[in-house]
Amino acid sequence: MKSIKERQRACQETLLAALRNALAERQVPAAFLIEDDGRPGVEVLDQAGRPRRVYVHLQFRWFHWGDQPDERVSCMQFLRAVERIQRAAQMGWREEEQGELSFSLHKIADAYRF
C-alpha cells in the first residue's frame, strides 16, 4: 500500500504532466521537471523566453507560479487553469524573481481562535 506522501506525489505529477501536455498543444514551451529537492514542476517559457516554474499546491488545489494572488489558479477547473497560465506566459512573467508560495498553518489557526 502506498503512503499518503507517495499518493500526493503521484497526484502532483499527474496534474503537472497533463498541464505540460495541454500547454504544448497550445504551442506554449513547457517541460516537466523534478527539482533537486524532489518537487515536481513544469517550467514554462514566456513570450520573451524567460522561464517560470509552475507547481501544484494540493491542499489548496492550486497551480502556482509565484507568491502573488494573480500567480495562482485552481487546478479543479483544468481548462481554465491552462488558459490562465497560457495568457500569463503570453503577457510575460513579471520582472522580479519568482516568489515562493508558503503558508504558516499556525497563523491560519490563530486567526480562527476566539
Side-chain angles (χ1 to χ4, degrees), residues 39 55-60 62-69 71-72 94 98-108:
R39 180 168 63 158
Y55 303 102
V56 174
H57 191 290
L58 287 179
Q59 293 80 356
F60 289 101
W62 287 337
F63 286 118
H64 62 93
W65 55 96
D67 60 351
Q68 302 301 307
E71 295 176 330
R72 58 183 172 248
R94 63 185 172 94
Q98 180 170 353
E100 185 64 37
L101 188 64
S102 64
F103 297 94
S104 170
L105 294 179
H106 295 292
K107 287 182 181 178
I108 294 171

Side-chain angles (χ1 to χ4, degrees), residues 2-108:
K2 290 185 177 182
S3 72
I4 290 174
K5 287 197 181 280
E6 290 172 326
R7 288 185 295 206
Q8 288 175 334
R9 172 66 181 261
C11 182
Q12 287 176 319
E13 289 181 8
T14 299
L15 284 167
L16 289 165
L19 175 65
R20 194 222 67 83
N21 293 341
L23 290 170
E25 287 176 6
R26 294 167 180 248
Q27 309 305 313
V28 177
F32 182 83
L33 58 88
I34 303 292
E35 297 280 358
D36 291 338
D37 64 2
R39 180 168 63 158
V42 172
E43 186 168 84
V44 181
L45 300 180
D46 71 3
Q47 41 79 14
R50 295 177 303 178
R52 198 58 78 143
R53 294 191 174 171
V54 179
Y55 303 102
V56 174
H57 191 290
L58 287 179
Q59 293 80 356
F60 289 101
R61 296 181 176 93
W62 287 337
F63 286 118
H64 62 93
W65 55 96
D67 60 351
Q68 302 301 307
D70 66 340
E71 295 176 330
R72 58 183 172 248
V73 63
S74 173
C75 56
M76 298 300 291
Q77 297 174 320
F78 185 77
L79 291 178
R80 184 170 165 240
V82 171
E83 290 169 1
R84 173 68 184 97
I85 294 166
Q86 177 186 12
R87 190 168 52 250
Q90 288 172 338
M91 291 173 47
W93 306 124
R94 63 185 172 94
E95 293 292 326
E96 296 84 20
E97 286 275 325
Q98 180 170 353
E100 185 64 37
L101 188 64
S102 64
F103 297 94
S104 170
L105 294 179
H106 295 292
K107 287 182 181 178
I108 294 171

